Amino acid sequence: MNMEDCERDIPSLIREWTRLNRGMMESLLSELIRHDTVNRVVSGTELECQQTLRRLMEELGLEAELYNPEEVPGFHEHPAYYPGKDYSNRPNLSAVWKGTGGGKSLLFSSHIDTAAVAPGWTTDPFLPRVENNRLYGLGSFDMKGGLTASLMAVRCLMELGIRLQGDVRIESVVDEEFGGANGTVAGRARGITADAVIIPEPTNLALYPAARGGALWRVTFRGTTGLSFSGEIIRNPANDAARFIMFLEAFELERGGLGGPAPWYEEQQELLPIIVTRLEAGDMNSPICDVGPVECHVDIWVECYPGVSEEQLRNEILQGYEHYCGITYGNGLQQPEFRRMIRFLPGCSVDPNFPLLPLLAEEIAAATGQPALVTGAPFACDAFVFNEYGTAPALILGPSGANAHAPDEYVDLDSLTLLVEIYASTLLGWCGQSEDQC
């Protein structure tokens, strides 16, 4: 057939293929979910899942390799490297479908690790199940579903006999959760790059050219303990911590009424989360405590917009707390101590003129029948490694679902099928079809 017929028929062929191969998509995702890849903050158990995924990639005809981040030259020297992690038996996986030449390249960058198993799961989180068009399982939504869609998109084009001009790369990195990002850093230090990057984090089929930043701190208040039998002045740090938590609630609401930086956050009036993740005070080994603690720790996760540094965010909290209390640190207000629990994740954004943006928006609209929602992500992720360190612009686009980092996580299978179609059509438009095929 001629080029005009080819261009007209390929979208319908892609759509038909995705519908006919939905069962294969479910099976692949289920296989990944069965592997425990929980990020244990310092260590992890991603090896077996990565080996399985490499086998599946090689069976498809991709060139795939496993490599340990610690063995990558320049890994420790990369400006985004964060120390203190153990990468024993935690390899990254990189694969490529080579193009015929002359086109632009694209990288799908996913992470294989998951958050911890949250309390409250009603079924085994590693035993995938389908119910009401939802596939339940740990990591189904965040983000083994998106990883599956990227591999299925390549398979779709291969089985339709379509060759691309540009290279397509798929990577599955370790250690993204809990502010890890070192797996992503290792890929950049290894020189794995492309003209554009898609990160298949869950977005409910919205297109995110920007991501928030965030910090996880342990905030400590100190005091004195004992009983005031002789008029001793006792300062219970738990009272200071309680007042600080009340401030955080008010501060979160105050920030929620402010828009963010243009263009991706300018119209948003959403809360920037400030989450108290843990409280600790007193001697937990003692059967009872009859006096107050000498220290009280409040662990908090605080998000911010692109362009805000860790120091700026901390100072914003300290100044806000001082104003909330109506007293200065020099006049009796105890200044809380901040200690970083994980790396600071800087927010980031992509130039609105980046040419992959309109192409992706067009393919989303074509697949869903609705205009694409293009806005800033309501979360932080590893996109900053690409967008802040200049390796390649990274956009975020993934499936619909719910309960990320929560019990009964699931991905919507209709959205995942649409995502395969969107990815495959985008590859065709971005990488270019080989000219000798039509």
Side-chain angles (χ1 to χ4, degrees):
M1 56 185 171
N2 60 39
M3 182 64 73
E4 182 180 351
D5 291 333
C6 187
E7 290 176 351
R8 184 179 67 247
D9 290 343
I10 285 179
S12 61
L13 290 173
I14 290 174
R15 179 163 297 181
E16 181 182 13
W17 189 96
T18 60
R19 305 306 186 266
L20 293 174
N21 290 277
R22 178 171 168 140
M24 184 191 302
M25 177 188 73
E26 292 180 21
S27 296
L28 173 55
L29 176 54
S30 296
E31 177 67 21
L32 298 182
I33 290 171
R34 291 188 186 97
H35 290 277
D36 177 355
T37 58
V38 170
N39 189 314
R40 288 163 172 79
V41 183
V42 174
S43 62
T45 57
E46 299 98 334
L47 175 61
E48 288 187 4
C49 191
Q50 296 284 62
Q51 290 174 330
T52 297
L53 190 55
R54 179 183 63 175
R55 173 179 57 80
L56 294 170
M57 288 176 167
E58 289 177 339
E59 288 175 357
L60 186 58
L62 303 183
E63 300 176 18
E65 64 168 350
L66 294 170
Y67 64 92
N68 189 293
E70 292 288 0
E71 297 173 357
V72 176
F75 174 50
H76 288 220
E77 291 73 31
H78 193 282
Y81 169 76
Y82 192 75
K85 302 298 188 79
D86 180 4
Y87 293 104
S88 302
N89 294 318
R90 303 181 73 188
N92 275 356
L93 172 60
S94 175
V96 62
W97 180 29
K98 289 288 186 65
T100 59
K104 295 190 290 290
S105 57
L106 193 144
L107 165 67
F108 291 100
S109 179
S110 299
H111 65 83
I112 199 65
D113 60 315
T114 71
V117 178
W121 274 83
T122 57
T123 59
D124 185 340
F126 302 108
L127 185 61
R129 64 184 175 90
V130 177
E131 183 178 330
N132 297 326
N133 196 45
R134 299 170 174 176
L135 197 158
Y136 290 85
L138 184 63
S140 58
F141 189 39
D142 181 16
M143 64 178 290
K144 293 178 178 179
L147 172 57
T148 296
S150 66
L151 189 56
M152 289 294 293
V154 169
R155 184 173 199 133
C156 170
L157 297 181
M158 282 184 164
E159 294 194 354
L160 290 177
I162 297 171
R163 290 298 310 277
L164 300 178
Q165 294 176 313
D167 294 347
V168 181
R169 294 186 175 274
I170 299 176
E171 69 176 4
S172 171
V173 303
V174 300
D175 191 31
E176 189 274 347
E177 297 290 2
F178 310 120
N182 273 352
T184 311
V185 170
R188 313 297 66 80
R190 193 174 178 83
I192 299 169
T193 188
D195 294 305
V197 180
I198 294 177
I199 299 177
E201 289 279 10
T203 70
N204 297 299
L205 296 182
L207 176 56
Y208 296 153
R212 292 175 180 172
L216 181 64
W217 287 302
R218 167 156 288 194
V219 182
T220 298
F221 295 87
R222 305 187 188 279
T224 54
T225 189
L227 300 174
S228 184
F229 287 177
S230 303
E232 297 93 342
I233 297 176
I234 307 298
R235 179 167 188 147
N236 190 331
N239 295 334
D240 292 316
R243 179 164 52 175
F244 183 70
I245 292 172
M246 293 296 293
F247 152 71
L248 292 177
E249 182 179 23
F251 189 55
E252 182 184 60
L253 292 174
E254 177 185 325
R255 293 203 307 166
L258 305 175
W264 309 122
Y265 290 102
E266 188 176 17
E267 302 299 325
Q268 292 194 12
Q269 296 291 315
E270 299 175 351
L271 290 179
L272 282 172
I274 302 177
I275 303 171
V276 176
T277 63
R278 182 163 55 186
L279 295 172
E280 184 179 319
D283 184 357
M284 303 307 293
N285 296 317
S286 176
I288 60 171
C289 293
D290 63 348
V291 294
V294 293
E295 292 182 349
C296 186
H297 307 288
V298 184
D299 292 358
I300 59 173
W301 166 254
V302 186
E303 293 187 6
C304 61
Y305 287 123
V308 176
S309 69
E310 182 178 19
E311 182 178 4
Q312 288 172 328
L313 186 58
R314 181 174 55 244
N315 288 340
E316 186 180 353
I317 293 171
L318 285 170
Q319 292 167 12
Y321 180 53
E322 196 174 40
H323 178 76
Y324 175 84
C325 294
I327 184 173
T328 64
Y329 295 121
N331 289 319
L333 179 64
Q334 182 179 170
Q335 181 167 331
E337 303 171 17
F338 284 68
R339 181 170 69 86
R340 180 192 292 175
M341 302 290 287
I342 62 172
R343 75 157 76 237
F344 173 71
L345 296 167
C348 63
S349 63
V350 170
D351 190 309
N353 295 315
F354 182 51
L356 183 58
L357 271 168
L359 174 59
L360 269 174
E362 178 182 338
E363 298 301 346
I364 292 169
T368 64
Q370 301 290 331
L373 174 62
V374 185
T375 187
F379 53 73
C381 69
D382 60 349
F384 75 92
V385 178
F386 297 98
N387 294 330
E388 292 295 295
Y389 295 95
T391 54
L395 305 176
I396 308 168
L397 171 63
S400 301
N403 302 333
H405 294 225
D408 296 331
E409 177 184 357
Y410 70 85
V411 67
D412 177 88
L413 290 172
D414 283 346
S415 79
L416 199 59
T417 304
L418 288 173
L419 188 64
V420 176
E421 178 184 337
I422 293 166
Y423 284 169
S425 299
T426 299
L427 286 173
L428 193 62
W430 180 259
C431 300
Q433 185 178 2
S434 293
E435 297 179 355
D436 60 354
Q437 288 197 285
C438 295

